């Protein structure tokens, strides 16, 4: 049961090999058992999940079956789900129960899936290791002394440890792809604007995008179909004809042009990662792809630009947590100002405070032009680099992260080292391009390595096709975490 793909689960449910209640209970039991060590879930609420499973079983009995009817899916705790605790990994929202559903939660409900629980994450999605969560570290299922990546580390660890069939995440600078790489699973960040952010707690609104995390490209395609949808409640949501992302998975990729950006194949990449990516390139050649060299000359500035733009937007977005409307409020205070100050001092962790300080600084009078405007100009250049590269190729291939899962505590005291984990993922967010990570090897310590594919705008189907064909030819995505 724990090894079945989404398609296999759907067909087992349809042919009544097991019921949704049985499937959901089995995953809940496994998740509860493993959670004591992995800490991937912040909230498991059996009653709510099983109530949904019972109603899914009724639908199955009536033959009313949608793509995910009866299948449990875990959601990053950044998505509001009505009646569910929604903490965003923060003390600030420790007791916040969402009064409404995010658009994607409505979509998953319509598709028939079960909310299996809410997954742990870096506080307000700020981090690359899950160490900034108020609810404690998540452990990497491949090696519990190591981080799962972040910020969607709970979702990645839950999928890798078979605690859930699939999960959702969000990606502002790499938070789906980098934890997917570090946990040996597949993850997709769609084109900016394809997945509604209504009901997703905002971090950096011009970069945030939700997406699926699963075991294979085939599963991702099914989940992408559910998640991508026009929503008038998100002003950046794009109205486009629906795409069947599963339809062309099996199309031959012979003749496809894959670009290798020379800036992403530098010495910063560990030798094991270089080797695994090189052999993935060889695999793509065997599948008939034509490999071409491309250049993204502005990409070395992407981390710097991101760490101006993302904190600027975060400082504005997080001003809503003032103790008046939602979440935590300080107990004792003399006046309104002290209430604000104490509430925010108590409710936010160190990394979130650091981002608010940086953001407020770069937006302040006198520094705005020097930092914020300059970062926006770099952002434009990065988009132009990609536009030029895509004149020469259909997809861009690179490592997802420069190394494999690092030790818990190893980078926690050095923010810049931590920020560099996203050196290959951030540019796609700045440009708004779709990108994904799939497993492509294991290093000497038996830790997973991620391969990144970046597509042109709205080219998710081609990316998924290329990822699926790779997964048909290799078995890296089938390797399982030894749970040690
Ligand atoms: N690690 C990056 C950060 O801390 C990206 C986070 C994300 O994508 N949410 O900002």
């Amino acid at each position: 049961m724990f090894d079945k793909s989404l398609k296999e689960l759907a067909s087992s449910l349809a042919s009544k090999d097991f019921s949704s209640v049985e499937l959901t209970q089995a995953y809940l039991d496994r998740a509860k058992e493993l959670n004591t060590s992995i800490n991937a879930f912040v909230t498991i609420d059996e009653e709510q999940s099983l109530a949904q499973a019972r109603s899914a079983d009724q639908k199955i009995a009536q033959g009313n079956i949608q793509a995910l009817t009866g299948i449990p899916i875990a959601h990053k705790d950044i998505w509001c789900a009505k009646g569910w605790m929604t903490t965003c990994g923060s003390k600030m929202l420790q007791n916040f129960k969402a009064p409404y559903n995010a658009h994607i939660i409505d979509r998953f409900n319509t598709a028939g899936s079960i909310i299996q629980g809410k997954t742990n994450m870096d506080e307000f999605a700020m981090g690359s290791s899950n160490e900034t969560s108020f609810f404690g570290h998540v452990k990497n299922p491949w090696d519990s002394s190591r981080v799962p990546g972040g910020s969607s580390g709970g979702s990645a660890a839950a999928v890798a440890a078979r605690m859930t069939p699939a999960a959702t995440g969000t990606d502002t600078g790499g938070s789906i792809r980098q934890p997917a790489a570090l946990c040996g699973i597949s993850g997709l960040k769609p084109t900016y604007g394809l997945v509604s952010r209504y009901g997703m707690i905002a971090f950096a609104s011009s970069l945030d995008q939700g997406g699926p995390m699963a075991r294979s490209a085939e599963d991702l395609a099914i989940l992408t179909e559910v998640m991508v949808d026009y929503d008038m409640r998100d002003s950046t949501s794009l109205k486009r004809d629906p795409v069947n992302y599963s339809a062309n998975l099996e199309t031959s990729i012979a003749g496809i042009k894959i670009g290798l950006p020379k800036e992403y194949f530098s010495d910063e990449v560990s030798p094991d990662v270089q080797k695994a990516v090189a052999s993935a390139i060889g695999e793509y050649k065997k599948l008939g792809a034509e490999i071409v060299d491309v250049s993204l000359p502005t990409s070395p500035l992407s981390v710097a630009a991101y760490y101006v733009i993302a904190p600027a937007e975060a400082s504005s977005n997080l001003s809503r947590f003032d103790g008046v409307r939602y979440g935590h409020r300080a107990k004792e205070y003399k006046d309104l100002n002290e209430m604000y100050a104490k509430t925010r001092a108590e409710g936010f962790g160190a990394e979130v405070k650091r981002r608010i300080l940086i953001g407020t600084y770069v937006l302040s009078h006198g520094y705005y032009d020097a930092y914020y405007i300059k970062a926006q100009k770099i952002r434009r250049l990065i988009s132009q680099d990609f536009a030029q590269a895509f004149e020469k190729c259909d997809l861009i291939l690179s490592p997802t992260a420069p190394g494999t899962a690092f030790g818990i505590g190893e980078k926690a005291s050095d923010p810049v080292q931590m920020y560099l984990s996203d050196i290959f993922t951030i540019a796609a967010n700045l440009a708004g391009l779709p990108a994904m990570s799939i497993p492509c090897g294991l290093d000497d310590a038996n830790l997973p390595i991620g391969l990144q594919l970046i597509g042109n705008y709205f080219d998710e189907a081609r990316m998924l096709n290329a990822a699926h064909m790779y997964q048909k030819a290799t078995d890296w995505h089938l390797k399982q975490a030894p749970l040690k």
Side-chain angles (χ1 to χ4, degrees), residues 244-269:
N244 181 340
Y245 294 101
S246 305
N248 298 318
L249 290 177
E250 303 278 339
T251 307
S252 160
I253 57 165
I256 195 176
K257 288 205 176 92
I258 296 184
L260 307 181
K262 62 171 191 271
E263 296 78 5
Y264 285 22
F265 289 83
S266 60
D267 296 341
E268 285 141 314
V269 182

PDB file of all heavy atoms in Angstrom, residues 244-269:
ATOM      1  N   ASN A 244      -3.942  19.219 -19.682  1.00  0.00           N
ATOM      2  CA  ASN A 244      -3.866  17.864 -19.152  1.00  0.00           C
ATOM      3  C   ASN A 244      -2.380  17.507 -19.052  1.00  0.00           C
ATOM      4  O   ASN A 244      -1.751  17.113 -20.024  1.00  0.00           O
ATOM      5  CB  ASN A 244      -4.607  16.910 -20.091  1.00  0.00           C
ATOM      6  CG  ASN A 244      -4.575  15.479 -19.577  1.00  0.00           C
ATOM      7  OD1 ASN A 244      -3.734  15.108 -18.765  1.00  0.00           O
ATOM      8  ND2 ASN A 244      -5.505  14.669 -20.048  1.00  0.00           N
ATOM      9  N   TYR A 245      -1.829  17.688 -17.836  1.00  0.00           N
ATOM     10  CA  TYR A 245      -0.381  17.523 -17.678  1.00  0.00           C
ATOM     11  C   TYR A 245       0.058  16.069 -17.794  1.00  0.00           C
ATOM     12  O   TYR A 245       1.237  15.793 -17.979  1.00  0.00           O
ATOM     13  CB  TYR A 245       0.078  18.117 -16.343  1.00  0.00           C
ATOM     14  CG  TYR A 245      -0.095  19.619 -16.302  1.00  0.00           C
ATOM     15  CD1 TYR A 245      -1.172  20.200 -15.643  1.00  0.00           C
ATOM     16  CD2 TYR A 245       0.812  20.445 -16.949  1.00  0.00           C
ATOM     17  CE1 TYR A 245      -1.338  21.573 -15.623  1.00  0.00           C
ATOM     18  CE2 TYR A 245       0.650  21.824 -16.941  1.00  0.00           C
ATOM     19  CZ  TYR A 245      -0.424  22.388 -16.280  1.00  0.00           C
ATOM     20  OH  TYR A 245      -0.585  23.742 -16.264  1.00  0.00           O
ATOM     21  N   SER A 246      -0.892  15.136 -17.665  1.00  0.00           N
ATOM     22  CA  SER A 246      -0.526  13.720 -17.755  1.00  0.00           C
ATOM     23  C   SER A 246      -0.518  13.219 -19.201  1.00  0.00           C
ATOM     24  O   SER A 246       0.035  12.158 -19.480  1.00  0.00           O
ATOM     25  CB  SER A 246      -1.510  12.861 -16.958  1.00  0.00           C
ATOM     26  OG  SER A 246      -1.579  13.317 -15.632  1.00  0.00           O
ATOM     27  N   ALA A 247      -1.123  13.998 -20.090  1.00  0.00           N
ATOM     28  CA  ALA A 247      -1.389  13.479 -21.442  1.00  0.00           C
ATOM     29  C   ALA A 247      -0.122  13.137 -22.224  1.00  0.00           C
ATOM     30  O   ALA A 247      -0.096  12.147 -22.950  1.00  0.00           O
ATOM     31  CB  ALA A 247      -2.239  14.467 -22.231  1.00  0.00           C
ATOM     32  N   ASN A 248       0.918  13.963 -22.084  1.00  0.00           N
ATOM     33  CA  ASN A 248       2.095  13.755 -22.937  1.00  0.00           C
ATOM     34  C   ASN A 248       3.322  13.215 -22.210  1.00  0.00           C
ATOM     35  O   ASN A 248       4.446  13.375 -22.682  1.00  0.00           O
ATOM     36  CB  ASN A 248       2.464  15.073 -23.624  1.00  0.00           C
ATOM     37  CG  ASN A 248       1.337  15.539 -24.521  1.00  0.00           C
ATOM     38  OD1 ASN A 248       0.731  14.739 -25.227  1.00  0.00           O
ATOM     39  ND2 ASN A 248       1.007  16.817 -24.449  1.00  0.00           N
ATOM     40  N   LEU A 249       3.094  12.594 -21.076  1.00  0.00           N
ATOM     41  CA  LEU A 249       4.237  12.108 -20.303  1.00  0.00           C
ATOM     42  C   LEU A 249       5.084  11.128 -21.092  1.00  0.00           C
ATOM     43  O   LEU A 249       6.304  11.081 -20.946  1.00  0.00           O
ATOM     44  CB  LEU A 249       3.763  11.438 -19.010  1.00  0.00           C
ATOM     45  CG  LEU A 249       3.168  12.348 -17.940  1.00  0.00           C
ATOM     46  CD1 LEU A 249       2.690  11.521 -16.749  1.00  0.00           C
ATOM     47  CD2 LEU A 249       4.197  13.387 -17.478  1.00  0.00           C
ATOM     48  N   GLU A 250       4.423  10.337 -21.939  1.00  0.00           N
ATOM     49  CA  GLU A 250       5.133   9.257 -22.639  1.00  0.00           C
ATOM     50  C   GLU A 250       5.685   9.679 -23.999  1.00  0.00           C
ATOM     51  O   GLU A 250       6.262   8.855 -24.704  1.00  0.00           O
ATOM     52  CB  GLU A 250       4.176   8.064 -22.850  1.00  0.00           C
ATOM     53  CG  GLU A 250       3.568   7.510 -21.568  1.00  0.00           C
ATOM     54  CD  GLU A 250       4.512   6.544 -20.851  1.00  0.00           C
ATOM     55  OE1 GLU A 250       5.422   6.005 -21.512  1.00  0.00           O
ATOM     56  OE2 GLU A 250       4.331   6.354 -19.640  1.00  0.00           O
ATOM     57  N   THR A 251       5.472  10.927 -24.384  1.00  0.00           N
ATOM     58  CA  THR A 251       5.956  11.384 -25.685  1.00  0.00           C
ATOM     59  C   THR A 251       7.485  11.292 -25.734  1.00  0.00           C
ATOM     60  O   THR A 251       8.170  11.652 -24.771  1.00  0.00           O
ATOM     61  CB  THR A 251       5.532  12.853 -25.911  1.00  0.00           C
ATOM     62  OG1 THR A 251       4.123  12.931 -25.713  1.00  0.00           O
ATOM     63  CG2 THR A 251       5.877  13.355 -27.291  1.00  0.00           C
ATOM     64  N   SER A 252       8.003  10.831 -26.850  1.00  0.00           N
ATOM     65  CA  SER A 252       9.464  10.746 -26.977  1.00  0.00           C
ATOM     66  C   SER A 252      10.081  12.135 -26.844  1.00  0.00           C
ATOM     67  O   SER A 252       9.520  13.128 -27.316  1.00  0.00           O
ATOM     68  CB  SER A 252       9.820  10.170 -28.351  1.00  0.00           C
ATOM     69  OG  SER A 252      11.155  10.515 -28.667  1.00  0.00           O
ATOM     70  N   ILE A 253      11.240  12.206 -26.191  1.00  0.00           N
ATOM     71  CA  ILE A 253      11.905  13.510 -26.080  1.00  0.00           C
ATOM     72  C   ILE A 253      13.080  13.614 -27.063  1.00  0.00           C
ATOM     73  O   ILE A 253      13.923  14.500 -26.943  1.00  0.00           O
ATOM     74  CB  ILE A 253      12.357  13.820 -24.633  1.00  0.00           C
ATOM     75  CG1 ILE A 253      13.293  12.738 -24.093  1.00  0.00           C
ATOM     76  CG2 ILE A 253      11.156  14.009 -23.722  1.00  0.00           C
ATOM     77  CD1 ILE A 253      14.036  13.172 -22.829  1.00  0.00           C
ATOM     78  N   ALA A 254      13.130  12.708 -28.021  1.00  0.00           N
ATOM     79  CA  ALA A 254      14.194  12.779 -29.032  1.00  0.00           C
ATOM     80  C   ALA A 254      14.130  14.132 -29.728  1.00  0.00           C
ATOM     81  O   ALA A 254      13.047  14.587 -30.111  1.00  0.00           O
ATOM     82  CB  ALA A 254      14.026  11.644 -30.039  1.00  0.00           C
ATOM     83  N   GLY A 255      15.279  14.770 -29.841  1.00  0.00           N
ATOM     84  CA  GLY A 255      15.331  16.050 -30.531  1.00  0.00           C
ATOM     85  C   GLY A 255      15.116  17.259 -29.619  1.00  0.00           C
ATOM     86  O   GLY A 255      15.340  18.400 -30.023  1.00  0.00           O
ATOM     87  N   ILE A 256      14.697  17.022 -28.389  1.00  0.00           N
ATOM     88  CA  ILE A 256      14.496  18.135 -27.453  1.00  0.00           C
ATOM     89  C   ILE A 256      15.876  18.759 -27.152  1.00  0.00           C
ATOM     90  O   ILE A 256      16.892  18.056 -27.085  1.00  0.00           O
ATOM     91  CB  ILE A 256      13.819  17.618 -26.160  1.00  0.00           C
ATOM     92  CG1 ILE A 256      13.271  18.768 -25.326  1.00  0.00           C
ATOM     93  CG2 ILE A 256      14.752  16.793 -25.321  1.00  0.00           C
ATOM     94  CD1 ILE A 256      12.508  18.284 -24.104  1.00  0.00           C
ATOM     95  N   LYS A 257      15.888  20.074 -27.030  1.00  0.00           N
ATOM     96  CA  LYS A 257      17.180  20.736 -26.758  1.00  0.00           C
ATOM     97  C   LYS A 257      17.274  21.086 -25.273  1.00  0.00           C
ATOM     98  O   LYS A 257      16.424  21.811 -24.744  1.00  0.00           O
ATOM     99  CB  LYS A 257      17.279  22.018 -27.577  1.00  0.00           C
ATOM    100  CG  LYS A 257      17.477  21.800 -29.053  1.00  0.00           C
ATOM    101  CD  LYS A 257      18.166  23.039 -29.645  1.00  0.00           C
ATOM    102  CE  LYS A 257      18.496  22.850 -31.110  1.00  0.00           C
ATOM    103  NZ  LYS A 257      17.441  23.317 -32.010  1.00  0.00           N
ATOM    104  N   ILE A 258      18.299  20.549 -24.635  1.00  0.00           N
ATOM    105  CA  ILE A 258      18.491  20.816 -23.211  1.00  0.00           C
ATOM    106  C   ILE A 258      19.721  21.702 -23.037  1.00  0.00           C
ATOM    107  O   ILE A 258      20.819  21.360 -23.481  1.00  0.00           O
ATOM    108  CB  ILE A 258      18.646  19.501 -22.426  1.00  0.00           C
ATOM    109  CG1 ILE A 258      17.333  18.697 -22.519  1.00  0.00           C
ATOM    110  CG2 ILE A 258      19.018  19.774 -20.980  1.00  0.00           C
ATOM    111  CD1 ILE A 258      17.312  17.424 -21.701  1.00  0.00           C
ATOM    112  N   GLY A 259      19.537  22.836 -22.400  1.00  0.00           N
ATOM    113  CA  GLY A 259      20.624  23.796 -22.210  1.00  0.00           C
ATOM    114  C   GLY A 259      21.306  23.614 -20.863  1.00  0.00           C
ATOM    115  O   GLY A 259      20.646  23.418 -19.841  1.00  0.00           O
ATOM    116  N   LEU A 260      22.644  23.677 -20.894  1.00  0.00           N
ATOM    117  CA  LEU A 260      23.403  23.612 -19.644  1.00  0.00           C
ATOM    118  C   LEU A 260      23.993  24.995 -19.381  1.00  0.00           C
ATOM    119  O   LEU A 260      24.886  25.431 -20.110  1.00  0.00           O
ATOM    120  CB  LEU A 260      24.540  22.592 -19.760  1.00  0.00           C
ATOM    121  CG  LEU A 260      24.182  21.178 -20.211  1.00  0.00           C
ATOM    122  CD1 LEU A 260      25.438  20.302 -20.234  1.00  0.00           C
ATOM    123  CD2 LEU A 260      23.132  20.563 -19.282  1.00  0.00           C
ATOM    124  N   PRO A 261      23.517  25.693 -18.370  1.00  0.00           N
ATOM    125  CA  PRO A 261      24.058  27.030 -18.092  1.00  0.00           C
ATOM    126  C   PRO A 261      25.436  26.921 -17.442  1.00  0.00           C
ATOM    127  O   PRO A 261      25.571  26.278 -16.400  1.00  0.00           O
ATOM    128  CB  PRO A 261      23.034  27.639 -17.126  1.00  0.00           C
ATOM    129  CG  PRO A 261      22.252  26.503 -16.568  1.00  0.00           C
ATOM    130  CD  PRO A 261      22.453  25.308 -17.444  1.00  0.00           C
ATOM    131  N   LYS A 262      26.431  27.497 -18.065  1.00  0.00           N
ATOM    132  CA  LYS A 262      27.787  27.233 -17.573  1.00  0.00           C
ATOM    133  C   LYS A 262      27.991  27.761 -16.148  1.00  0.00           C
ATOM    134  O   LYS A 262      28.748  27.191 -15.381  1.00  0.00           O
ATOM    135  CB  LYS A 262      28.838  27.777 -18.545  1.00  0.00           C
ATOM    136  CG  LYS A 262      28.843  29.270 -18.795  1.00  0.00           C
ATOM    137  CD  LYS A 262      30.102  29.621 -19.599  1.00  0.00           C
ATOM    138  CE  LYS A 262      30.338  31.116 -19.680  1.00  0.00           C
ATOM    139  NZ  LYS A 262      29.676  31.749 -20.822  1.00  0.00           N
ATOM    140  N   GLU A 263      27.230  28.802 -15.784  1.00  0.00           N
ATOM    141  CA  GLU A 263      27.373  29.360 -14.433  1.00  0.00           C
ATOM    142  C   GLU A 263      26.909  28.384 -13.346  1.00  0.00           C
ATOM    143  O   GLU A 263      27.254  28.539 -12.172  1.00  0.00           O
ATOM    144  CB  GLU A 263      26.555  30.659 -14.304  1.00  0.00           C
ATOM    145  CG  GLU A 263      27.019  31.804 -15.188  1.00  0.00           C
ATOM    146  CD  GLU A 263      26.581  31.673 -16.650  1.00  0.00           C
ATOM    147  OE1 GLU A 263      25.821  30.738 -16.979  1.00  0.00           O
ATOM    148  OE2 GLU A 263      27.025  32.501 -17.464  1.00  0.00           O
ATOM    149  N   TYR A 264      26.104  27.390 -13.721  1.00  0.00           N
ATOM    150  CA  TYR A 264      25.574  26.450 -12.721  1.00  0.00           C
ATOM    151  C   TYR A 264      26.425  25.189 -12.603  1.00  0.00           C
ATOM    152  O   TYR A 264      26.044  24.240 -11.919  1.00  0.00           O
ATOM    153  CB  TYR A 264      24.135  26.047 -13.072  1.00  0.00           C
ATOM    154  CG  TYR A 264      23.089  27.113 -12.785  1.00  0.00           C
ATOM    155  CD1 TYR A 264      23.434  28.458 -12.678  1.00  0.00           C
ATOM    156  CD2 TYR A 264      21.754  26.774 -12.611  1.00  0.00           C
ATOM    157  CE1 TYR A 264      22.475  29.430 -12.428  1.00  0.00           C
ATOM    158  CE2 TYR A 264      20.785  27.739 -12.358  1.00  0.00           C
ATOM    159  CZ  TYR A 264      21.154  29.074 -12.280  1.00  0.00           C
ATOM    160  OH  TYR A 264      20.199  30.022 -12.025  1.00  0.00           O
ATOM    161  N   PHE A 265      27.549  25.175 -13.318  1.00  0.00           N
ATOM    162  CA  PHE A 265      28.414  24.007 -13.237  1.00  0.00           C
ATOM    163  C   PHE A 265      29.785  24.425 -12.725  1.00  0.00           C
ATOM    164  O   PHE A 265      30.807  24.138 -13.299  1.00  0.00           O
ATOM    165  CB  PHE A 265      28.501  23.312 -14.602  1.00  0.00           C
ATOM    166  CG  PHE A 265      27.207  22.617 -14.962  1.00  0.00           C
ATOM    167  CD1 PHE A 265      26.160  23.322 -15.539  1.00  0.00           C
ATOM    168  CD2 PHE A 265      27.034  21.270 -14.686  1.00  0.00           C
ATOM    169  CE1 PHE A 265      24.957  22.686 -15.842  1.00  0.00           C
ATOM    170  CE2 PHE A 265      25.831  20.627 -14.987  1.00  0.00           C
ATOM    171  CZ  PHE A 265      24.791  21.330 -15.563  1.00  0.00           C
ATOM    172  N   SER A 266      29.753  25.126 -11.600  1.00  0.00           N
ATOM    173  CA  SER A 266      30.986  25.707 -11.075  1.00  0.00           C
ATOM    174  C   SER A 266      31.575  24.819  -9.976  1.00  0.00           C
ATOM    175  O   SER A 266      31.047  23.761  -9.651  1.00  0.00           O
ATOM    176  CB  SER A 266      30.665  27.076 -10.482  1.00  0.00           C
ATOM    177  OG  SER A 266      29.712  26.892  -9.454  1.00  0.00           O
ATOM    178  N   ASP A 267      32.671  25.293  -9.387  1.00  0.00           N
ATOM    179  CA  ASP A 267      33.341  24.535  -8.315  1.00  0.00           C
ATOM    180  C   ASP A 267      32.517  24.510  -7.028  1.00  0.00           C
ATOM    181  O   ASP A 267      32.815  23.733  -6.123  1.00  0.00           O
ATOM    182  CB  ASP A 267      34.704  25.170  -7.999  1.00  0.00           C
ATOM    183  CG  ASP A 267      35.624  25.073  -9.190  1.00  0.00           C
ATOM    184  OD1 ASP A 267      35.347  24.238 -10.066  1.00  0.00           O
ATOM    185  OD2 ASP A 267      36.611  25.846  -9.247  1.00  0.00           O
ATOM    186  N   GLU A 268      31.511  25.399  -6.958  1.00  0.00           N
ATOM    187  CA  GLU A 268      30.686  25.380  -5.740  1.00  0.00           C
ATOM    188  C   GLU A 268      29.918  24.064  -5.596  1.00  0.00           C
ATOM    189  O   GLU A 268      29.457  23.716  -4.524  1.00  0.00           O
ATOM    190  CB  GLU A 268      29.636  26.498  -5.778  1.00  0.00           C
ATOM    191  CG  GLU A 268      30.172  27.866  -5.512  1.00  0.00           C
ATOM    192  CD  GLU A 268      29.501  28.895  -6.428  1.00  0.00           C
ATOM    193  OE1 GLU A 268      29.375  28.640  -7.644  1.00  0.00           O
ATOM    194  OE2 GLU A 268      29.098  29.937  -5.929  1.00  0.00           O
ATOM    195  N   VAL A 269      29.785  23.365  -6.725  1.00  0.00           N
ATOM    196  CA  VAL A 269      29.010  22.118  -6.708  1.00  0.00           C
ATOM    197  C   VAL A 269      29.890  20.971  -6.224  1.00  0.00           C
ATOM    198  O   VAL A 269      31.006  20.791  -6.706  1.00  0.00           O
ATOM    199  CB  VAL A 269      28.479  21.809  -8.128  1.00  0.00           C
ATOM    200  CG1 VAL A 269      27.645  20.554  -8.131  1.00  0.00           C
ATOM    201  CG2 VAL A 269      27.681  22.983  -8.660  1.00  0.00           C
TER     202      VAL A 269
END
